[in-house]
Amino acid sequence: MEVVSDDPKDHVRDHQVKLADHAEAKIAEYWIIDPERKVVIVHRLESEKYVVHGEFTGGGQAASAMLAGFTVDVAALFAAAADIPE
């Protein structure tokens, strides 16, 4: 699971570089939490590359591709994150 920083170079690193690194390491599932866009993107490994299992926003439930029944309330996730002091 990766939380994207607000620095543009971190955005590229988290969405592209780390995605490729995790695929190479054969990590079966990779979640990207993007606070700026308020989206959770769940990737699942197919062969040697990731495919998007789902992009989840607002009132939705981010769902795992691997763990049946495992979900995260996206709105509650970002609301909780807003309460964390900087």
Side-chain angles (χ1 to χ4, degrees):
M1 190 173 292
E2 188 70 42
V3 178
V4 179
S5 302
D6 34 347
D7 187 316
K9 71 178 181 189
D10 291 337
H11 191 270
V12 170
R13 184 192 68 217
D14 294 338
H15 281 274
Q16 295 174 12
V17 176
K18 284 188 177 181
L19 189 71
D21 290 346
H22 283 73
E24 186 177 322
K26 301 202 181 327
I27 296 170
E29 189 168 275
Y30 180 56
W31 290 43
I32 298 175
I33 300 169
D34 192 331
E36 183 179 314
R37 293 180 44 218
K38 297 219 181 323
V39 63
V40 176
I41 305 167
V42 179
H43 299 270
R44 70 178 186 280
L45 193 61
E46 279 191 12
S47 298
E48 297 179 10
K49 293 188 178 187
Y50 282 115
V51 295
V52 175
H53 171 68
E55 290 193 26
F56 306 94
T57 59
Q61 297 282 324
S64 173
M66 291 187 54
L67 302 172
F70 180 78
T71 62
V72 173
D73 182 308
V74 176
L77 173 73
F78 290 115
D83 292 338
I84 298 172
E86 292 186 27

